[in-house]
Structures are given as structure tokens and as C-alpha cells.
Amino acid sequence: MNECKLLLKEKTCLFMNLFAGLKHVYGSYNIKTGKTYQVKAPVDFNVIAKHLWGYHSYGVYPLMGKHTNFIAIDIDTNDLTLVSQFYAVMNQYYIPLYIERSKSKGYHLWIFFDQLVSAHKARLVVYHVINTIGCGAIEVFPKRDGLDDNVSYGNFINAPLFYPFTKVQRTVFINPENGYQPFEDQWQVLSHIQKISEIKLGCLIEKLGLNSHSKFKFSTGSKISSHGYYTLPPCKQKMLEYGVTQYQRLACYRIAISLKCAGMPFDKAVYTLKSWALKNRPSNNKRIITEKEIIAQTQSAYKGKYRNIGCECPSVVPFCDNTCQIKNSFKHDMGDNIMNKPKKRVRCGAISASIWTDQKTINGKEIEYHSISISKTYKDGDEWKHTNNFDTKDLCKIAIVAIEAYKLIEVSTSDLPLSSKE
């Protein structure tokens, strides 16, 4: 990784922006005794600089009224199982999650927003995930939905990168795709933080069927699969259990993506897939996928950023389960694809063509290909809706957006043929 060369002033401003909370009070602790205390003073440049240099720690009070810039999950155990589970679920929800190894024990998981968002909405999603993985022994910051006349500050959480601990690789961000080892350049990570919007948060809440009256029941056990990580999607469980009869390399790639998202280390994923290959029964007298091919497909999956479970992939379709929450929550058509934005969109009146990108592995190489979704927007009362049904008078506009979409797509000899989602 190339070193991120930022000046002290730039680092401090970046840090202040990411870990912003109440501006007139902050938390701290005595590094010798561990005793925490509150400091009623402005959170300014010097406070953050002293934290980064290790002179005086900074703890942020995230609640600003009923809003927050981030939400953090405090897992008070060194066991990475819960961390892997959280990372897996957030991957499936397309929520960027940043993992910090805390100062003494456990981990802090951070989710950042592109502006102040409702603390209630953020907490609703996080508690849904806690309920999904079946463990309630977790603290969430902010700890309440808002401040009121009786609560002026809420609770603070210690900010990362406190120098006395970074020297011993604590309070640093770690890489879940590299054995949970610390990132070589912490500032490279912070300068490329991906933030989510309140709109995306609201869409996720709607898709999950959550509301202010949602009740969560927690258990002491965790839903862990036989390989010790978060349960894979039903389709991948079936593929691993029964093997496949066709598309072995593509199936291997898809399973590897899910294993990566579930937090499984690369070497264990290869071992799992080698065992899986023995269950395959290739049709038309084809041979079983080789160890070399398994390693190549797994490397491709682990190096890439692709995280989709592949509901429309021909290797996955035969194993699709209609009860799958992921499939029902994140469909790949124009109307339901709220988490993945199209690469480009062309409009002509009420008709639009959306250009989507996906990846396939051919001969061990990731190749991007395109698909097109054409839809029509109309108003039903006060609500705007989309449809894939067209009138005869729409045909000319469909042709126009289709041609323009085709012009926008980079056509090369390595591109796969265009496919239509209609």
C-alpha cells in the first residue's frame, strides 16, 4: 500500500471530521489508572492533535440532539467470531464497516455517515444485526436515540489512534480481508472512508421491514455455521453440501466471495473448496475442478471488491431458495435495487435505460460486463412508480435510450455480450 502523505494539519482536520460529536465537551481517561472523566471544553484542533500525539486522549460524544455522524459497536471480547459475523452481515447489506482493535480488549466497529443522520435509524439497523447474529452482549454508541432535558451529553466512546497504544498496535484499524492484521497505513484508510447516506439507511430499514416499534429478542448463543463463521446464504450452503454438476469454476468463484464476506481467511476458504470439489459430479463426462483452478478462483474472489451473492448467476440459480432473506431484500431489478446504483442512466421523457456492471471470472481473470435495465416512470396519485410494461408510443423512446446506452458502454474484445434484464 502506498503511504498516505498527509501533513499534521491535514490529518487532524480529517480526524475531526470523521469523529465529530458534541463540540463543547469530550471524554478522556488516565492512561495509568484507566479512570475515565469528562472535560467541559471546546473540541478544537489542539484537543485532536494532543490525542494523535499521545498527550491527552479524546473521547467523542456522538449524540447531537437526535442525530449522529457515525455509529459504533463495542465488542468487549478478543474473540473475532462476533466481529466476523458483523462484517458478514454488513457486507450483505452493502454497509461499509471499519474495524478498530480497541486499547485493551475487544474491538470497535465503525459506520460513518455522509451527514448527520437520525440516531434512531442508525441504532435500529445495528440492533437488527445484533438480533440477526443472536448476541446481545454488545454496546452501541450512541446508546440512546437522542438528548433531552434529562440527558445533556449521553455517553462518549474513545476515539482511535491514540499514540501510546498505536505503538503496540492497539486503537488501530485492522483489515478483515488480511487476517485482521493492522493496515500498514492508517491514514490511507481514514482518507478513503466510505460513508453512507440517510436515504440509503432509510431504504435499508424499509427493505428489512423495521420501524420504531420493532422488537428485538437477544440470546446468548450465536448463529454460527459449521465452519465457525457467520452462516452463508442458503444457496451457498446447498452448493457446499451437495456439490455442483456444471459451471464449476464460476460456482467456486461465487462460493469464495461468500466465504470472504463471511470473514473466512483465504487458506481456510481454499481448504473448504477443495473438500467441496470432491462432491461435484460434472455433467457430460467433464473433469472435476483442479486444486490449481480452485486457488485461482479463490484468489480472484479475495482480491476483488465484488460482494454480491449472485442471485442471477447460472451456477447459483439451481440452488436458489425463495425463503432467502437476502434474495427477497435485495433483488436485482430496477425497482428493487436500492443498494447498487447503476453505473450510468440515460433518459428520454419517462423512459430510462440504466447501465449496470457486474463481474465474471474467465480463465482466472475478472472481467467486467454490462447489462441494461429499461423502465418507465409514472405517477400513481402522489407516488412515483416504475414499470417494465410499455405502450406502443414508448417504442421510439426505448430505441433512443437503448442506442445511447450502447454508445456509453466501452466495447472491447474482452467484453462479454450485452444482456438485457427485461
Side-chain angles (χ1 to χ4, degrees):
M1 181 184 294
N2 295 326
E3 183 180 359
C4 183
K5 297 180 179 179
L6 295 176
L7 300 175
L8 175 60
K9 181 178 179 180
E10 294 172 322
K11 291 180 178 179
T12 305
C13 291
L14 172 61
F15 197 90
M16 288 182 71
N17 177 266
L18 288 173
F19 302 97
L22 290 178
K23 301 183 182 301
H24 60 286
V25 62
Y26 62 94
S28 190
Y29 60 88
N30 186 310
I31 193 172
K32 294 182 179 180
T33 65
K35 183 179 180 180
T36 61
Y37 56 93
Q38 185 183 79
V39 181
K40 292 183 178 179
V43 179
D44 56 19
F45 183 92
N46 289 332
V47 169
I48 303 302
K50 288 180 178 179
H51 171 86
L52 295 175
W53 281 100
Y55 295 120
H56 191 249
S57 71
Y58 164 67
V60 54
Y61 285 90
L63 265 180
M64 288 177 278
K66 294 184 178 181
H67 297 82
T68 184
N69 275 313
F70 63 82
I71 190 162
I73 301 98
D74 183 8
I75 298 178
D76 192 28
T77 174
N78 289 325
D79 186 353
L80 280 165
T81 300
L82 283 178
V83 176
S84 297
Q85 290 176 297
F86 253 97
Y87 184 72
V89 178
M90 289 305 181
N91 259 310
Q92 292 168 359
Y93 292 162
Y94 295 88
I95 301 294
L97 186 71
Y98 297 89
I99 306 169
E100 173 210 353
R101 183 186 291 158
S102 58
K103 61 183 176 66
S104 57
K105 180 183 178 183
Y107 304 88
H108 292 163
L109 315 182
W110 301 84
I111 299 170
F112 299 93
F113 305 110
D114 62 2
Q115 60 183 2
L116 284 173
V117 306
S118 163
H120 170 70
K121 290 182 179 179
R123 282 164 46 81
L124 198 60
V125 170
V126 168
Y127 275 108
H128 168 77
V129 176
I130 294 174
N131 187 67
T132 299
I133 65 178
C135 182
I138 294 174
E139 283 191 288
V140 178
F141 294 82
K143 290 190 174 184
R144 51 192 299 126
D145 290 343
L147 303 177
D148 53 38
D149 293 339
N150 297 319
V151 180
S152 301
Y153 309 112
N155 300 87
F156 73 84
I157 182 170
N158 293 312
L161 300 188
F162 186 42
Y163 184 68
F165 293 106
T166 60
K167 292 188 297 183
V168 291
Q169 296 191 333
R170 310 294 301 192
T171 71
V172 296
F173 287 94
I174 57 178
N175 187 353
E177 297 185 14
N178 185 31
Y180 294 94
Q181 295 300 309
F183 285 100
E184 293 181 10
D185 189 338
Q186 296 289 308
W187 292 103
Q188 180 79 9
V189 176
L190 293 188
S191 63
H192 291 84
I193 290 289
Q194 296 181 50
K195 302 179 180 180
I196 66 172
S197 66
E198 186 161 17
I199 293 176
K200 181 174 180 178
L201 196 64
C203 289
L204 177 59
I205 289 171
E206 181 180 351
K207 279 292 178 181
L208 295 173
L210 305 176
N211 56 59
S212 58
H213 302 293
S214 296
K215 302 292 183 182
F216 299 113
K217 296 180 180 180
F218 303 112
S219 64
T220 56
S222 298
K223 300 176 182 177
I224 308 173
S225 65
S226 58
H227 52 69
Y229 297 85
Y230 181 74
T231 303
L232 297 173
C235 55
K236 303 308 188 303
Q237 293 183 50
K238 291 180 180 178
M239 293 169 77
L240 282 173
E241 182 176 358
Y242 301 111
V244 301
T245 58
Q246 55 184 345
Y247 304 114
Q248 288 185 89
R249 287 191 293 274
L250 185 55
C252 180
Y253 176 69
R254 289 294 179 177
I255 296 172
I257 289 174
S258 292
L259 293 176
K260 178 186 73 171
C261 292
M264 181 177 282
F266 173 81
D267 57 340
K268 291 188 177 181
V270 171
Y271 178 82
T272 299
L273 288 165
K274 285 166 63 178
S275 300
W276 160 78
L278 299 176
K279 302 177 183 179
N280 291 347
R281 305 174 306 282
S283 58
N284 300 324
N285 296 318
K286 292 184 178 180
R287 61 173 174 79
I288 293 177
I289 186 172
T290 66
E291 180 178 346
K292 184 178 180 180
E293 290 170 329
I294 290 173
I295 293 174
Q297 295 297 327
T298 308
Q299 285 177 336
S300 181
Y302 272 66
K303 288 181 180 179
K305 296 182 179 180
Y306 194 61
R307 301 181 298 180
N308 197 290
I309 65 173
C311 292
E312 297 177 343
C313 178
S315 67
V316 177
V317 170
F319 300 90
C320 191
D321 188 332
N322 290 328
T323 64
C324 176
Q325 181 181 0
I326 300 170
K327 175 188 176 183
N328 294 330
S329 296
F330 303 106
K331 295 180 181 177
H332 293 267
D333 58 85
M334 174 66 181
D336 292 330
N337 195 335
I338 60 170
M339 293 298 146
N340 294 324
K341 293 182 179 179
K343 186 175 183 179
K344 291 183 180 180
R345 183 174 289 150
V346 181
R347 296 184 183 277
C348 182
I351 308 299
S352 65
S354 298
I355 303 172
W356 308 85
T357 59
D358 204 338
Q359 289 178 328
K360 285 188 177 180
T361 300
I362 298 180
N363 297 327
K365 295 182 179 180
E366 284 189 17
I367 295 178
E368 184 180 76
Y369 72 98
H370 305 86
S371 58
I372 300 172
S373 173
I374 298 179
S375 66
K376 178 180 179 180
T377 305
Y378 68 97
K379 199 168 186 179
D380 183 6
D382 295 328
E383 184 179 359
W384 286 98
K385 294 183 178 181
H386 299 281
T387 181
N388 300 121
N389 296 320
F390 305 98
D391 299 325
T392 305
K393 63 183 180 181
D394 296 323
L395 294 177
C396 288
K397 293 181 180 179
I398 292 173
I400 291 172
V401 297
I403 292 171
E404 291 302 313
Y406 182 79
K407 290 179 181 178
L408 289 173
I409 298 173
E410 292 184 353
V411 180
S412 66
T413 56
S414 62
D415 281 339
L416 295 178
L418 290 175
S419 63
S420 174
K421 292 193 176 183
E422 309 307 332

